[in-house]
Amino acid sequence: MTSLIRHVDFDCADPYTLAGFWAAVLDYRLGDDDHPGDPEVALSPTGGGTGPVLLFLRVPEPKQVKNRLHVDLQPTDRTRDEEVERLIGLGATQVADQRRPDGSGWVVLADPEGNEFCVERSAAERAG
């Protein structure tokens, strides 16, 4: 027998606000019964999309060290660099730039609560 990933959980100070950031990043939707101040907020893919549910959980302590697990994003309808600019506009901050002169590499960003994630090249950029 095997298991499946039911949720990917994010510990955070403000579940509703952080879930809103990730909803915009991934085109996910908040649950109808999720509201500001809730101790947990769940995001699901929109329009019948697939992917795990993201669960944002209020915890009392702030993030203190580098993530031991993080997500890598691949833009679907724009370049890596365009996606990095879009995400910074949504509230992400750049942590490190690992882009290489040949176009490969990635950019490390942090969400509004400091959780790191990477932005890689799009499929079109990889094929080019």
Side-chain angles (χ1 to χ4, degrees):
M1 303 212 49
T2 62
S3 296
L4 59 87
I5 295 174
R6 181 165 180 239
H7 298 129
V8 175
D9 298 347
F10 289 73
D11 290 348
C12 56
D14 184 347
Y16 190 82
T17 299
L18 193 58
F21 169 83
W22 282 102
V25 169
L26 300 171
D27 192 27
Y28 270 42
R29 65 177 173 77
L30 290 156
D32 293 336
D33 56 350
D34 290 321
H35 304 285
D38 285 350
E40 65 181 52
V41 173
L43 292 181
S44 302
T46 60
T50 60
V53 170
L54 304 182
L55 187 60
F56 297 83
L57 306 164
R58 177 175 291 125
V59 297
E61 63 277 352
K63 179 180 176 295
Q64 296 181 12
V65 297
K66 183 181 184 302
N67 298 12
R68 295 294 302 263
L69 175 73
H70 69 268
V71 297
D72 291 343
L73 303 179
Q74 180 179 327
T76 58
D77 60 351
R78 59 184 55 95
T79 68
R80 174 194 52 215
D81 295 347
E82 291 167 337
E83 183 67 350
V84 166
E85 290 306 313
R86 182 182 81 88
L87 299 176
I88 289 172
L90 291 173
T93 56
Q94 186 171 317
V95 174
D97 190 339
Q98 301 297 324
R99 290 176 278 200
R100 298 182 189 116
D102 68 358
S104 64
W106 60 93
V107 178
V108 181
L109 299 177
D111 71 17
E113 290 208 15
N115 301 299
E116 295 96 357
F117 60 97
C118 296
V119 181
E120 299 179 351
R121 293 182 298 167
S122 68
E125 288 176 293
R126 289 174 188 274

